[in-house]
Each structure stands twice: as C-alpha cells, then as structure tokens.
Amino acid sequence: MRVLVIRHGAFGDIVLSFAAFAAIREHHRRDEITLLTTRAYAGLLGASPWFDKIEIDEKPDWWNLPGLLRLKRQLSGFGMVYDLQTSGRSSRYFSLAGRPPWSGIARGCAFPDAANRGTLHSRERLEQQLGLANLPAPLPPPDLSWLSGDISGLRLPPRYVILVPGAAPHRPEKRFPAEKFREIAQSLQHPAVIVGTAGETHLADLIGGIDLTGKTDFFQLASVFRGATLAIGNDTGPMHLAAALGVPCISLFSAASEPARTAPRYPDGGWPVILRAPTLQELPVAQVLAHLP
C-alpha cells in the first residue's frame, strides 16, 4: 500500500511530529510512505528513516490550475493519508486527493480527530489523532541517531551553554531582549554558544560568546546541541530540537504563545523549564538565572 503523510512546517512543529513520523513508519513497515512537505524541510526529512519518498508542496494558489493539477497528481493513488498539518489548506486536499482513507480534520474523512484537539499539546494531539486511526499509543521516543552532522571545524569547547535569541522575524513579541541574553551569558559558568540564522548574527554580536548564527545546517545544529550542558532560548524551532535530543532546556514564553499546547518536550514526554511573562521584555534576568543547574 502507498501511504501519504502531510506536514508542511514550521520547524518546531516538524520536530514535535518526529514521534508521529516514527510511529507511522513502524505501523506501515511494509508499505511505501511518501511525505508531502515544504522545500525547507525536504532535505532534513529525506535523510530520516521514516519516508521512502519526499514530495515538495509548492502550495499553489487555488486559481493556479497548472499548479493544482500538479498537486492533484501528488495527492493521488494513496491507500491511506495522515494529514498531520490539519490546516484549512491541507484539509481541502482531501477532496483534491479523491477522498481516500484520511486521518485529520477534513469533513467526511474516515478517521476524524476528536473535538478536544484544540485543548491538547501537539504531542498528545498527534498521539490522539493517530490512535483514532488505529495506531498504538503511547508514541515511543523516536530514534534520532540519523540526525547528526560534522562539527569538527567549529572548534567548540568541551562544555558550553547554548543561547537561542532568535524567533520568527514577524513575531518580535516572542524575543527575549539581546541585552538580557548578554547578562545571562556573562553569568554562566561555561562559554555561551549562540545559534540561529544568518539574519540573527546581530543578536550574537550584542550578546557576545561563540557565534554560530548562520553557520550550521539542521544536522550540524543537532550535533552542536548534543554537546551542550544546557539550552536557553525563545519559543522557536531550535529549542524544540534541543529538547527532542534530551538537552536540558529553559524555554522562554510570552503571552503570544501557549506553552501548554506548543512548548518543547523531552523524548520521554517530559517538560523543560518554562518561564513566562506577558512580554519577554518583562521577564527578569534573575528569574532565568534562578533556574540554572
């Protein structure tokens, strides 16, 4: 049987789906599994052991007939579809795909998720959704040994703490001020390593420490995290990766996000330290320092 999994992003949501991906692979060991995702995550998930094929969803406009025809071909011919994105857009794919056996929230699908899904953390929500599609629960911790990159050229110290000062560019309310990260860096017993995108290099310059912004891909970032004693950061994708790898984390949240539904989680389902304030500008440095191990 051919199986399709739909997951577009973003990075934190991709990481929170790792256990679901692994469970689908285990349940369909003899089947061919295709992932429909966005270009940003095709290389990452194509290297995983969970999928046989990767299809890139260009997400064409609904009036783009050539694009929709291509998407229809990508969605056709599957004996089971797991829509883990469960967005308004991905739910419309149910009809475009010809209404195959479908797990998600599309009206009329064979395996609809329960009405309480909006109250659950993503981890438990995915576990519930797959359980209603006859996959066993609980979801076991996934093997992430494949997620590793060469960091020999980065010359990292033997012990270090990672700071993650960035967040989505359109969500400034989710950023703890760089000046406060600098105070934290100066209070650490071990060197601070700053990770993020190339567009966040200015934050690393303000904070001080070992600047790896824009210098790691997903695989190298995972290896950098594995060497850390602690990760401290905003509500952003790399913190989800740190927690998924079992790195002790202090995760900083403003009122813009609900950690009960979106916080990073450890491989066994445990929760990292969550610190929250109405805005991260209001979160005291002393409160963060009080949770240092």
Side-chain angles (χ1 to χ4, degrees):
M1 181 171 67
R2 297 179 67 222
V3 175
L4 178 67
V5 177
I6 303 172
R7 194 49 151 156
H8 292 144
F11 185 36
D13 297 314
I14 293 288
V15 174
L16 287 172
S17 301
F18 281 173
F21 295 154
I24 292 170
R25 174 78 277 174
E26 177 64 20
H27 189 67
H28 292 278
R29 275 179 281 181
R30 298 182 180 179
D31 298 325
E32 179 186 275
I33 304 178
T34 297
L35 173 70
L36 182 67
T37 189
T38 49
R39 191 173 301 276
Y41 308 110
L44 169 66
L45 295 172
S48 79
W50 305 321
F51 306 107
D52 300 297
K53 294 182 179 179
I54 304 292
E55 289 282 345
I56 295 174
D57 187 354
E58 302 291 356
K59 302 172 76 171
D61 293 320
W62 298 112
W63 46 261
N64 180 352
L65 292 181
L68 288 179
L69 287 173
R70 179 179 185 273
L71 178 59
K72 182 178 177 64
R73 289 194 297 270
Q74 290 176 299
L75 293 167
S76 298
F78 292 98
M80 181 64 197
V81 179
Y82 297 93
D83 175 14
L84 304 188
Q85 192 68 23
T86 55
S87 64
R89 180 183 182 89
S90 65
S91 294
R92 293 178 73 175
Y93 290 2
F94 175 49
S95 295
L96 195 61
R99 303 176 68 87
W102 188 281
S103 167
I105 60 171
R107 181 173 296 181
C109 71
F111 303 100
D113 197 4
N116 68 334
R117 66 190 313 275
T119 67
L120 302 176
H121 185 277
S122 292
R123 180 186 177 99
E124 282 71 36
R125 177 176 55 77
L126 289 168
E127 186 172 85
Q128 172 180 272
Q129 178 183 341
L130 295 184
L132 291 170
N134 301 318
L135 271 72
L139 300 180
D143 177 8
L144 299 182
S145 59
W146 59 273
L147 187 50
S148 179
D150 181 10
I151 59 171
S152 59
L154 300 181
R155 299 183 179 180
L156 292 169
R159 295 176 67 82
Y160 53 88
V161 173
I162 293 180
L163 303 181
V164 187
H170 63 288
R171 303 294 299 277
E173 69 277 10
K174 297 174 70 173
R175 294 193 178 205
F176 191 57
E179 295 78 8
K180 292 189 174 185
F181 269 115
R182 183 173 65 234
E183 291 184 54
I184 292 171
Q186 293 170 345
S187 302
L188 297 172
Q189 293 183 350
H190 304 298
V193 173
I194 298 91
V195 301
T197 66
E200 293 161 349
T201 298
H202 68 287
L203 298 175
D205 292 339
L206 288 169
I207 295 166
I210 301 170
D211 177 14
L212 295 187
T213 55
K215 299 175 183 176
T216 58
D217 59 22
F218 291 127
F219 304 95
Q220 292 169 314
L221 182 61
S223 292
V224 171
F225 273 127
R226 283 191 175 97
T229 60
L230 176 69
I232 305 171
N234 299 324
D235 172 26
T236 188
M239 287 299 293
H240 286 276
L241 180 59
L245 293 168
V247 179
C249 293
I250 300 175
S251 192
L252 313 178
F253 276 78
S254 72
S257 302
E258 178 48 68
R261 291 188 286 114
T262 64
R265 299 286 290 275
Y266 291 135
D268 63 357
W271 296 73
V273 173
I274 305 292
L275 301 181
R276 197 179 189 199
T279 68
L280 286 181
Q281 288 74 21
E282 299 174 63
L283 183 66
V285 170
Q287 190 174 345
V288 180
L289 295 180
H291 287 84
L292 294 180

